[in-house]
Amino acid sequence: MIIARLSLTDFRNHAAAELVAAPGLVALYGDNGAGKTNILEAISLLAPGRGLRRAALPEMVRDGAAGGFAVFAEVQPGDDLPPVSLGTGIEPAQPGRRVVRINGAAAAAASLGEWLGVLWLTPAMDRLFVDTAGNRRRFLDRLVLALDPRHAQHGNRYVAALRARGKLLGDPGHADPQWLTSLEAQLAEHGAAIDAGRRQMLAALSAELARQPDTPFARPLLTLVDSDGAERAVPSSAAALKDLFAARRRIDAAAGRATAGPHRDDLVAAHVATGRAAARCSTGEQKAMLLSLVLAHSDCVARARGQRPVLLLDEVAAHLDPPRRAALYHRLANQGGQAWLTGTEAALFADMPGPVTRFAIASGRIVAG
């Protein structure tokens, strides 16, 4: 998957910007605050979800603009497929409503995943293994989404049913048992699909990581656990989840929330070589394991879809020693597809193997070369 042309209008600090990129590596360099990460965020909005910052839509509008923004890209989804135009943004009259267009026609945001896969790694993700379980679930679900766009629909419907069930349990005197049973059936159906998607993703990631024993980056061992920290060895069937929710009605009513289910699961990791939990590893080891995960996931998508996703690597090069930096560049250049990287200095990208598209970013101004 290749982004051949990217246009931004009133997005963050970019009033009007256009970038034309080739396959391979794309290097964005400039001072902190110049707008490099904003470009990566714009690309991330061309996939389903809330983007790499998970920001509210009005926050992305350039200061002083009329109240809307637009992101447009011309994408080459594969060698044997024609180019497709993807666009998203908001209009001043409806600042809370995201507009999506595919080849000029209105479309649902979930449809973007059928044309473009995007995966990112940002400094904010460095604490993933010591962060909340919720952030790790979101990270895992983002990986699943790149392979199966339907995963977002299951997630949205699961959350909607979960909220409706919680509202009913909070008013037991007026709770309709039949409606409660119906909601729990929906939870079970979509929860089982969510669990299956996560398990398939972890199995695929583990297989890819095992194929790369000589990688210079630390490899993680991944496990899905429940809210009590016990390994989830058995897949969650719809029937089992339905029974679980029915059995925990009183517990959940007293707690004011659903205390068990896929929304309470967690992703844990350990350093393969040492067996140490990722949360107890050094910061450098955690970053290396996270990078291994992102690269393995790129391979998973390429193997499953026949199309490598666009990689967005924000300030990754600055945190690697020269040998590992060279190894990363070599791998990205040889695997095909397109990877966008940011850094504060052009020197960080001087030894990149070609082809390389380079842009200097300064206060919202973009200069090719």
Side-chain angles (χ1 to χ4, degrees):
M1 304 178 189
I2 306 298
I3 296 176
R5 183 163 66 94
L6 177 70
S7 299
L8 311 181
T9 303
D10 289 334
F11 184 83
R12 297 289 189 181
N13 68 327
H14 298 285
E18 182 163 317
L19 300 88
V20 177
L25 305 182
V26 182
L28 309 174
Y29 56 90
D31 293 339
N32 291 327
K36 305 182 300 296
T37 304
N38 294 342
I39 294 172
L40 301 192
E41 182 183 27
I43 295 173
S44 75
L45 293 176
L46 297 171
R50 295 177 56 185
L52 61 81
R53 284 192 176 108
R54 294 182 59 80
L57 292 170
E59 294 178 15
M60 303 178 197
V61 180
R62 183 178 61 88
D63 290 344
F69 73 83
V71 177
F72 168 86
E74 183 179 294
V75 174
Q76 180 62 52
D79 293 337
D80 56 345
L81 297 173
V84 60
S85 64
L86 304 179
T88 190
I90 60 173
E91 299 174 349
Q94 295 180 298
R97 179 177 176 269
R98 182 180 177 187
V99 177
V100 172
R101 295 192 179 278
I102 299 177
N103 286 333
S111 301
L112 292 168
E114 300 174 9
W115 299 100
L116 183 65
V118 182
L119 184 63
W120 54 81
L121 185 56
T122 70
M125 296 166 62
D126 286 349
R127 291 180 53 82
L128 180 73
F129 299 120
V130 294
D131 209 338
T132 65
N135 280 339
R136 283 188 291 276
R137 281 193 301 273
R138 278 191 288 272
F139 173 77
L140 178 56
D141 287 337
R142 165 60 60 182
L143 301 187
V144 178
L145 189 60
L147 278 175
D148 182 6
R150 296 171 301 175
H151 191 71
Q153 297 174 359
H154 289 301
N156 292 336
R157 291 169 183 172
Y158 182 90
V159 169
L162 200 65
R163 289 173 177 166
R165 176 179 179 268
K167 187 175 181 180
L168 280 180
L169 290 176
D171 188 12
H174 297 85
D176 182 343
Q178 290 185 336
W179 179 231
L180 197 54
T181 298
S182 175
L183 287 172
E184 289 170 349
Q186 295 176 43
L187 278 174
E189 175 189 352
H190 298 297
I194 291 169
D195 183 67
R198 290 171 177 171
R199 288 177 179 277
Q200 291 169 7
M201 185 74 262
L202 291 182
L205 280 172
S206 298
E208 289 296 342
L209 290 166
R211 293 187 182 101
Q212 303 158 11
D214 298 325
T215 177
F217 308 108
R219 292 188 295 122
L221 176 67
L222 305 171
T223 308
L224 191 66
V225 301
D226 62 20
S227 56
D228 295 323
E231 182 177 354
R232 290 277 318 283
V234 179
S236 295
S237 67
L241 283 175
K242 186 176 180 180
D243 290 343
L244 172 71
F245 290 124
R248 299 183 72 88
R249 288 178 183 176
R250 288 187 179 181
I251 297 173
D252 293 350
R257 57 186 172 84
T259 54
H263 64 288
R264 298 277 294 166
D265 289 346
D266 193 4
L267 172 68
V268 297
H271 193 303
V272 166
T274 65
R276 183 180 300 134
R280 298 180 58 193
C281 290
S282 69
T283 301
E285 288 174 321
Q286 290 183 32
K287 289 181 179 180
M289 283 189 279
L290 191 54
L291 184 55
S292 286
L293 269 180
V294 171
L295 295 175
H297 181 259
S298 176
D299 290 339
C300 286
V301 176
R303 193 179 301 277
R305 296 183 60 173
Q307 301 166 312
R308 188 170 293 277
V310 173
L311 289 179
L312 310 177
L313 304 178
D314 193 20
E315 301 291 349
V316 169
H319 300 293
L320 297 175
D321 55 41
R324 286 185 173 82
R325 188 186 307 153
L328 173 63
Y329 292 165
H330 179 77
R331 176 166 176 176
L332 293 175
N334 288 341
Q335 70 183 13
Q338 192 179 59
W340 295 61
L341 299 92
T342 68
T344 54
E345 302 174 9
L348 288 170
F349 308 120
D351 297 329
M352 275 184 164
V356 181
T357 305
R358 304 174 189 272
F359 295 100
I361 316 295
S363 301
R365 293 173 49 249
I366 301 174
V367 179

